[in-house]
């Protein structure tokens, strides 16, 4: 498809192993998107609000958000994103190890766009990242944020 465009993806993840797996999944799948990584909830909000060292950060088209983060919990980040008029339109996929019904319900009540449990198996993890990318890049029509590389 010629209308496929690059999108900026913000990965909010504190586990270096999961960050590496996600980067590898993007590379193995020849994902064309630009992956930005922050390691805690406070960094995520600074990135999204273009504050401090993130003053030149692009507005992401998609956020992959872990729930269990240091400094500012992923649930708080999700609530902040969806209650901010400038950020609420950004799709958020909760990508976490938690399979807790309470976490799933709370995430959707906070307006997460999807909730995905991280598989522990490498091949399954790669497959999940590929499916998320396929869905949000080829199936879903995202608004144009106006900031492209």
């Amino acid at each position: 498809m010629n209308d496929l465009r690059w999108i900026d993806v913000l990965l909010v993840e504190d586990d270096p192993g999961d960050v590496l797996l996600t980067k590898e999944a993007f590379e193995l799948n020849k994902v064309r998107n630009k992956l930005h990584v922050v390691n805690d909830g406070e960094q995520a909000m600074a990135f999204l609000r273009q504050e401090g060292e993130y003053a030149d950060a692009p507005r992401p088209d998609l956020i992959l958000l872990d729930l269990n983060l240091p400094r500012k919990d992923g649930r708080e980040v999700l609530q902040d994103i969806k209650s901010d008029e400038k950020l609420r339109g950004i799709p958020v996929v909760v990508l976490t190890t938690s399979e807790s019904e309470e976490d799933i319900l709370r995430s959707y009540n906070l307006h997460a766009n999807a909730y995905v449990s991280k598989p522990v198996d490498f091949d399954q993890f790669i497959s999940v990242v590929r499916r998320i990318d396929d869905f949000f890049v080829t199936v879903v029509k995202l608004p144009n944020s106006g900031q492209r590389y």
Side-chain angles (χ1 to χ4, degrees):
M1 295 177 71
N2 293 336
D3 62 341
L4 289 181
R5 63 184 178 96
W6 292 77
I7 69 169
D8 286 293
V9 178
L10 176 61
L11 174 63
V12 186
E13 174 61 67
D14 65 316
D15 183 320
D18 287 346
V19 170
L20 183 60
L21 278 176
T22 305
K23 286 180 177 180
E24 287 182 16
F26 271 58
E27 290 169 13
L28 284 173
N29 292 318
K30 309 281 191 274
V31 173
R32 300 166 11 135
N33 305 327
K34 176 73 175 163
L35 184 65
H36 307 273
V37 180
V38 294
N39 304 113
D40 65 48
E42 287 184 9
Q43 288 178 354
M45 294 313 301
F47 186 100
L48 292 167
R49 292 183 174 139
Q50 298 175 313
E51 299 170 343
E53 68 180 286
Y54 303 108
D56 294 326
R59 175 186 167 93
D61 299 289
L62 176 64
I63 300 168
L64 303 178
L65 177 66
D66 187 22
L67 290 182
N68 302 311
L69 297 168
R71 297 177 58 197
K72 185 174 193 126
D73 186 77
R75 296 156 193 85
E76 295 172 279
V77 172
L78 180 58
Q79 183 172 350
D80 287 355
I81 291 168
K82 295 303 182 175
S83 63
D84 185 318
E85 188 175 316
K86 294 178 182 174
L87 302 175
R88 75 171 57 128
I90 303 171
V92 178
V93 175
V94 173
L95 184 59
T96 186
T97 55
S98 174
E99 294 185 20
S100 157
E101 190 64 33
E102 181 181 336
D103 281 340
I104 296 168
L105 182 60
R106 184 167 178 208
S107 294
Y108 282 118
N109 283 339
L110 291 172
H111 306 289
N113 297 83
Y115 190 102
V116 179
S117 293
K118 291 181 201 170
V120 292
D121 177 76
F122 176 76
D123 291 331
Q124 289 177 349
F125 188 91
I126 299 292
S127 177
V128 164
V129 171
R130 181 183 317 129
R131 287 183 191 152
I132 291 170
D133 177 67
D134 285 347
F135 184 72
F136 280 97
V137 175
T138 62
V139 177
V140 172
K141 185 73 174 162
L142 295 173
N144 187 351
S145 69
Q147 296 186 23
R148 293 288 147 246
Y149 290 104

